[in-house]
Amino acid sequence: MLATLEYTLAVVAVFLVLGYFRLPILAWTLAAAALLWYLGVVAAFGYGTNIVLAAVFVAVAAVLNIPILRRKAFTDHVLALYRRILPDMSSTEKEAIDAGSVWWDADLFSGRPDWNKLLAIPAPRLSAEEQAFLDGPVEELCAMCNDWEITHERQDLPPQVWQFIKDKGFLGMIIPKRYGGLGFSALAHSAVVMKLSTRSGAAAISVMVPNSLGPAELLLHYGTEEQKNHYLPRLARGLEVPCFALTNPEAGSDAASIPDYGIVCKGTWQGREMLGMRVTWDKRYITLGPVATLLGLAFRLYDPEKLLGGKEDLGITCALVPTNTAGVNIGRRHLPLNQVFQNGPNSGKDVFMPLDWIIGGPEYAGKGWMMLMGCLAAGRAISLPTSSVGGVKALTRFTGAYARVRSQFKTPIGRLEGVEEALGRIAAHCYMMDATRVMTAGAVDLGEKPAVLSAIAKYHMTERARACVNDAMDIHGGKGICLGPNNWVGRGYQMTPIAITVEGANILTRTLIIFGQGAIRAHPYVLREMRAAKEMQGAEASREFDDAITSHIGHVISNGVRAFVHGITSSRLAHTPRNAAPETVHYYRFTSRLSAAFAFLADLSMLAMGGALKRKEKISGRLGDVLSMLYLVSATLKRYEDQGRIREDLPLIRWAVRDALYHAQQAIDQILSNFPVKPLARFLRWTLFPLGMSFRPPLDSRNHECAKIALEPGAARDRLTAGMYVPKGEDATGVLEAAFIAAIACEPIDEKLRKAVKKGKIVPRPGVDLGSLAKENNLITAEEYAQWSRKEALRKSVIRVDDFPQDFGRAEIVQSLSPAKARAA
Ligand SMILES: Cc1cc2nc3c(=O)[nH]c(=O)nc-3n(C[C@H](O)[C@H](O)[C@H](O)COP(=O)(O)OP(=O)(O)OC[C@H]3O[C@@H](n4cnc5c(N)ncnc54)[C@H](O)[C@@H]3O)c2cc1C
């Protein structure tokens, strides 16, 4: 009995050690040989049995260790089965999967992230020239923008703002200097968009779009020399305003199915007979469309007469169409949630255009989807993550200030616990979001086109912005609801769903892209197996598949063992970086543990559900959530190191990391609760959480510290909101900032007044302010009274909301119109 127990323990220990260290098959074989010998000794089987066991062992070991035998006996059969069950992929699906590159996501998928590698990457930095642009033209542009004037009065950017944007090169930030552009890094591009987003959504979007997925980006990667030389300098100087039109009323998320089409045919162009294409399209939601001079157009190109000599259905094609071309209908506008950046439909019927309008020329006919997916992988990393971070920086600064200026129950509302809870959340999200923005833009500057990580950044930054703006609205109460020049949150609240919807609507991004693409691209073996099965034949396929699948099996066992070992040791053995800061080292351990758990769970989910996992979006969405949380935590920990371990910021890191780890754990819990194969779900729960679910939500005390950062002027608040436009002067947010500083400076005087009232030294009188009563009674000096009065004036200005004539000024507008127009109005 004792011997059996000992033997079982030895088997378990050997399994755990081999699995934990992911030793090769030979090591497993030697260990199995030793265990077999030990079994022979313990069980005293006798000579004959020992010989039989040894023979069986040698046969199995030979099959496992000699690749040719292993392939014939095992992996070739698996390959045949795999080929049968692997669903066929359309060329658009394949191009989407292949698009972009893999970076830190591969480490997270490996189950053993290499923290030293991550921390060795230098902190992304702006060049002196980029910083000067931010401090100069960007600051100036922000000061020129008055959001109420733009969104309500003009419903467009003022002409001088448009001109400034064009003249200073804002539309050509990604265009290299040799074409007259600013040639900025992704980090600088992101910093510009972020700063503008803290001031005017319309200005930020108008600048963001030409620098994102669109004509310039496509030309840079795929344009012919002639196209680049013609268009890039014009785009850089704002002589062309570009837009990119993909979305059709019938095809939004499923953009590859656009019904817009072009037919290759002969026609006449500028008096010359030539081979061209006759294009018909109907697009909507196109940003900058109404003012664009250059329309980037996506359509499906057909060549029914085979004039180009190849296939009939050439596929999605991207062309550049000057909007003054006869037959182009453009100029009408949509009104996206009261945001007034230019956005609208456009269409054309049988518009003839030369083939060399195709981006890249006729050889790129049909390659549009590959071009779009490749550019999207990088572009998505900047625009919407960045504008969301800008929005949240502004919310952090303004909401913190307002919560300190606005008092109820004789207390600044930011000190009331319910408000503090919401404010602390905003501040901590702000830190994590900015960390993610910088790390993702930094990846693009390292030459990556991080397809999965950009989807994570897009989804989670926009969702966090939505959570933060909801919190900010609650904190502002009625002040946030009544629109007008004195409302700095309402427009942000209105526009949040726009970022959620564009560049891959969020539900789809979460459920299809983050895990769906990640599981194939970022997984160390799945893509190799798929390529061996679908793109290779004969011995080459057999060798490649054998190598990938055996490594894959080792990877699964190792991750399962490590997830279990980390579970029973509270992550004490989990991998951490060299010289980790003692105050954050446990977060690396927890993340390594969850990375192993995630990798194991991802593999077993794919094994249990196969191709059906793609349709099980509730499961794949949650798997995506786990991967995303691990990425957000990585970015946060890296930022702490990159900024030199600033201890003052620790509450933000602690809250944000703990919150993300808790959410990752909850996502795993929900996957297991809904896992279709119940016995496997039980096994997984036992392996991943052997001692129960140990991650807890952030503590209230941390939340208090985070809120305090937003409520106190100083370095921590400035660092948290760094890179935003800090308002000066007379407009509403400038007054708010001044009121905030004045409120804090006056707190000792307010305290004197409070005590004086309590002790009966002054008796409040209706219509007389406490300050003058205190001054009359010599309880405060004349200077203190002046300081207090200024603070009160600023406070009153801050809490004021806008009101309008009963007809919202319509009569005044009608009066200014010509009599005919006035009658019509
Ligand atoms: C203000 C604005 C600006 C835009 N700018 C441009 C532009 O410049 N150029 C351009 O070409 N397009 C632009 N778009 C279009 C934008 O990219 C699309 O709105 C977006 O792709 C979603 O398409 P849809 O609105 O038709 O939603 P639908 O495709 O109808 O989707 C509706 C919902 O279903 C979800 N969904 C769809 N498929 C799946 C799935 N398989 N699994 C799970 N959920 C799914 C989506 O996530 C979404 O929540 C813009 C849109 C807006 C609103």
Side-chain angles (χ1 to χ4, degrees):
M1 180 67 186
L2 192 61
T4 313
L5 182 66
E6 258 178 35
Y7 185 74
T8 310
L9 287 177
V11 171
V12 170
V14 167
F15 177 78
L16 290 180
V17 169
L18 291 169
Y20 190 90
F21 292 104
R22 213 186 150 182
L23 295 177
I25 297 183
L26 189 60
W28 287 79
T29 311
L30 295 175
L35 284 169
L36 197 63
W37 170 80
Y38 183 38
L39 180 67
V41 172
V42 173
F45 286 136
Y47 187 70
T49 313
N50 281 347
I51 292 286
V52 173
L53 280 178
V56 171
F57 174 78
V58 169
V60 173
V63 167
L64 289 178
N65 283 277
I66 301 172
I68 182 114
L69 295 182
R70 185 173 62 222
R71 291 195 332 246
K72 293 283 167 241
F74 173 55
T75 49
D76 280 357
H77 300 286
V78 181
L79 174 60
L81 177 71
Y82 191 73
R83 279 188 169 135
R84 275 202 301 279
I85 58 175
L86 189 65
D88 279 331
M89 251 191 220
S90 66
S91 61
T92 45
E93 266 180 306
K94 202 170 154 324
E95 278 164 0
I97 296 267
D98 287 343
S101 60
V102 172
W103 188 58
W104 183 244
D105 36 342
D107 275 75
L108 297 174
F109 248 101
S110 75
R112 199 169 192 276
D114 182 351
W115 297 112
N116 293 319
K117 183 179 80 182
L118 182 73
L119 297 189
I121 298 170
R125 297 248 181 274
L126 297 170
S127 70
E129 184 193 354
E130 292 166 343
Q131 188 61 54
F133 189 78
L134 281 157
D135 297 339
V138 184
E139 185 80 9
E140 214 179 316
L141 177 56
C142 288
M144 288 166 84
C145 291
N146 173 328
D147 203 45
W148 181 249
E149 181 199 354
I150 292 169
T151 56
H152 186 75
E153 291 165 7
R154 288 182 177 273
Q155 299 183 326
D156 193 4
L157 297 172
Q160 69 276 17
V161 170
W162 269 117
Q163 203 52 50
F164 188 84
I165 286 175
K166 292 174 185 175
D167 292 347
K168 296 290 174 186
F170 278 90
L171 301 186
M173 284 189 287
I174 59 164
I175 297 177
K177 288 192 168 149
R178 65 178 181 282
Y179 295 111
L182 294 177
F184 277 177
S185 63
L187 185 69
H189 168 192
S190 154
V192 172
V193 172
M194 181 179 79
K195 189 162 184 167
L196 292 177
S197 304
T198 64
R199 187 66 174 164
S200 159
I205 292 171
S206 305
V207 166
M208 175 206 296
V209 166
N211 288 290
S212 180
L213 175 61
E217 174 91 354
L218 291 167
L219 280 170
L220 280 169
H221 288 97
Y222 306 104
T224 61
E225 278 312 305
E226 204 183 338
Q227 288 171 336
K228 286 187 201 173
N229 291 335
H230 176 72
Y231 279 122
L232 291 176
R234 294 179 59 75
L235 287 164
R237 279 180 288 144
L239 300 177
E240 300 280 4
V241 176
C243 68
F244 192 78
L246 172 64
T247 305
N248 173 288
E250 300 297 336
S253 300
D254 185 11
S257 69
I258 39 172
D260 312 292
Y261 62 92
I263 307 285
V264 179
C265 61
K266 292 213 171 90
T268 309
W269 177 250
Q270 294 182 336
R272 271 196 309 130
E273 173 91 359
M274 60 162 63
L275 196 56
M277 47 198 178
R278 211 169 278 292
V279 186
T280 296
W281 73 95
D282 180 14
K283 302 291 189 183
R284 64 176 180 182
Y285 305 145
I286 309 309
T287 302
L288 292 188
V291 292
T293 59
L294 187 62
L295 169 67
L297 185 63
F299 54 90
R300 206 167 184 95
L301 188 61
Y302 297 89
D303 185 10
E305 295 176 46
K306 304 215 169 150
L307 297 171
L308 293 177
K311 296 185 293 182
E312 276 188 36
D313 178 358
L314 293 169
I316 292 177
T317 300
C318 299
L320 289 181
V321 183
T323 54
N324 59 7
T325 306
V328 176
N329 302 313
I330 200 161
R332 289 184 65 79
R333 289 177 74 176
H334 299 305
L335 182 55
L337 291 172
N338 283 349
Q339 300 307 307
V340 296
F341 60 90
Q342 297 282 339
N343 182 280
N346 64 74
S347 62
K349 178 134 182 57
D350 292 332
V351 179
F352 184 78
M353 51 188 82
L355 283 178
D356 60 14
W357 285 11
I358 295 174
I359 300 176
E363 326 55 302
Y364 275 77
K367 298 202 173 138
W369 194 247
M370 173 276 292
M371 292 156 69
L372 290 175
M373 290 300 105
C375 291
L376 183 64
R380 192 173 46 201
I382 312 281
S383 309
L384 298 156
T386 286
S387 52
S388 303
V389 176
V392 170
K393 286 199 172 190
L395 289 175
T396 306
R397 198 166 179 106
F398 299 154
T399 311
Y402 183 73
R404 190 79 188 250
V405 173
R406 172 72 172 163
S407 287
Q408 288 292 280
F409 304 99
K410 300 194 174 72
T411 313
I413 57 169
R415 296 225 167 98
L416 304 169
E417 275 209 8
V419 173
E420 179 182 276
E421 190 176 14
L423 185 61
R425 272 196 299 260
I426 298 176
H429 281 323
C430 184
Y431 187 95
M432 183 173 251
M433 288 173 70
D434 200 34
T436 308
R437 171 187 76 84
V438 172
M439 181 153 137
T440 315
V444 175
D445 282 330
L446 291 173
E448 301 294 340
K449 286 182 176 180
V452 175
L453 298 182
S454 67
I456 292 176
K458 192 272 167 174
Y459 178 84
H460 287 278
M461 299 309 95
T462 54
E463 288 296 341
R464 271 158 204 254
R466 170 147 70 179
C468 290
V469 80
N470 281 342
D471 275 337
M473 285 294 284
D474 291 351
I475 293 174
H476 281 83
K479 170 84 186 168
I481 288 165
C482 294
L483 289 175
N486 284 297
N487 182 341
W488 44 80
V489 273
R491 288 290 193 225
Y493 175 75
Q494 283 182 313
M495 79 182 297
T496 304
I498 298 175
I500 302 278
T501 301
V502 300
E503 289 198 1
N506 271 10
I507 296 180
L508 169 137
T509 302
R510 170 173 177 260
T511 54
L512 277 191
I513 300 177
I514 296 178
F515 182 74
Q517 194 166 358
I520 298 176
R521 279 307 300 276
H523 191 287
Y525 304 108
V526 167
L527 190 60
R528 280 183 62 198
E529 288 156 6
M530 287 171 72
R531 288 204 168 127
K534 289 285 172 188
E535 292 169 21
M536 295 176 190
Q537 297 301 328
E540 188 196 13
S542 167
R543 269 196 302 274
E544 175 66 6
F545 189 80
D546 171 71
D547 189 46
I549 194 90
T550 46
S551 307
H552 193 160
I553 293 169
H555 167 82
V556 174
I557 295 173
S558 163
N559 280 324
V561 168
R562 273 185 301 109
F564 175 75
V565 171
H566 296 331
I568 54 171
T569 57
S570 297
S571 317
R572 282 198 182 81
L573 303 177
H575 185 54
T576 60
R578 274 186 304 273
N579 310 323
E583 62 276 19
T584 52
V585 69
H586 51 301
Y587 296 137
Y588 291 98
R589 285 204 190 103
F590 296 155
T591 312
S592 293
R593 172 186 168 185
L594 283 176
S595 167
F598 164 72
F600 188 56
L601 178 59
D603 270 311
L604 291 204
S605 302
M606 287 190 268
L607 185 71
M609 287 169 255
L613 183 54
K614 190 174 152 187
R615 290 183 300 282
K616 292 216 158 281
E617 294 185 351
K618 292 175 195 164
I619 300 276
S620 64
R622 290 173 187 134
L623 283 164
D625 291 344
V626 184
L627 177 65
S628 304
M629 291 306 122
L630 300 180
Y631 180 59
L632 267 51
V633 169
S634 307
T636 307
L637 295 175
K638 175 150 170 58
R639 157 157 285 207
Y640 182 64
E641 293 297 319
D642 284 351
Q643 291 195 329
R645 302 182 182 174
I646 303 171
R647 292 195 73 95
E648 227 185 340
D649 295 346
L650 262 179
L652 302 164
I653 291 137
R654 289 185 165 140
W655 193 96
V657 168
R658 202 168 155 141
D659 178 67
L661 294 175
Y662 174 71
H663 277 97
Q665 169 190 268
Q666 296 312 99
I668 296 177
D669 179 39
Q670 286 164 15
I671 294 166
L672 298 180
S673 301
N674 294 285
F675 209 76
V677 187
K678 295 299 170 199
L680 190 52
R682 277 193 288 280
F683 164 73
L684 278 164
R685 196 177 281 286
W686 178 81
T687 310
L688 305 184
F689 301 118
L691 303 180
M693 296 201 295
S694 52
F695 295 102
R696 297 274 168 266
L699 296 172
D700 287 350
S701 52
R702 292 273 175 266
N703 169 268
H704 168 77
E705 291 165 338
C706 293
K708 216 162 153 241
I709 290 175
L711 285 168
E712 300 285 348
R717 176 178 182 253
D718 289 343
R719 222 173 10 255
L720 186 59
T721 58
M724 71 172 278
Y725 176 74
V726 178
K728 304 151 193 85
E730 297 303 307
D731 76 0
T733 48
V735 172
L736 172 66
E737 188 77 10
F740 171 64
I741 304 295
I744 290 161
C746 266
E747 273 176 358
I749 306 173
D750 279 324
E751 184 59 15
K752 271 190 199 173
L753 300 187
R754 202 184 58 77
K755 281 190 180 148
V757 172
K758 200 168 171 203
K759 290 185 180 158
K761 290 185 183 167
I762 47 177
V763 181
R765 287 206 307 267
V768 184
D769 65 57
L770 277 187
S772 38
L773 287 178
K775 193 168 95 5
E776 267 171 29
N777 291 288
N778 293 324
L779 296 172
I780 57 172
T781 65
E783 291 83 60
E784 284 176 322
Y785 177 64
Q787 186 186 352
W788 185 86
S789 302
R790 180 174 171 274
K791 180 266 300 187
E792 275 297 282
L794 287 165
R795 185 186 66 78
K796 283 189 174 14
S797 178
V798 163
I799 64 169
R800 194 164 60 83
V801 301
D802 300 286
D803 47 45
F804 301 92
Q806 204 165 56
D807 65 349
F808 286 104
R810 194 166 170 274
E812 218 175 295
I813 296 167
V814 171
Q815 248 176 22
S816 67
L817 299 174
S818 67
K821 279 191 180 162
R823 266 197 306 280

